[in-house]
Amino acid sequence: MSDDARVVRVVPSGPVMVQGPVRIEMPDGSVVESDRFMVAICACRRSKTYPLCDTSHRRRQRGDTSSAQRPA
């Protein structure tokens, strides 16, 4: 593996982690940049900061279609 290769780690039920900094080119032509050393890219498309992950995948699991609150 080359020294300049980026490491990409897929987190089960979570984001795709990419060694930064990154420049993400979106289908509409817009660009999202992050200069962080590790960048979480949303894989569930629930993030309000898409394409960056805001941990929305933790609040609702697949198959959970109810909007009711959990009992106390």
Side-chain angles (χ1 to χ4, degrees):
M1 182 159 64
S2 148
D3 288 339
D4 60 346
R6 295 283 180 206
V7 173
V8 176
R9 182 170 45 104
V10 178
V11 178
S13 300
V16 176
M17 303 298 294
V18 181
Q19 283 186 348
V22 298
R23 175 183 170 99
I24 304 166
E25 296 178 0
M26 302 300 292
D28 66 0
S30 62
V31 174
V32 177
E33 294 183 332
S34 176
D35 61 356
R36 300 186 76 162
F37 70 93
M38 187 64 71
V39 180
I41 299 178
C42 180
C44 71
R45 295 187 147 257
R46 290 194 275 266
S47 175
K48 290 179 182 173
T49 60
Y50 185 82
L52 302 176
C53 180
D54 68 1
T55 69
S56 291
H57 61 275
R58 294 182 187 169
R59 290 188 280 280
R60 182 172 164 223
Q61 298 297 319
R62 284 186 201 161
D64 179 12
T65 57
S66 68
S67 59
Q69 293 181 348
R70 292 182 183 173

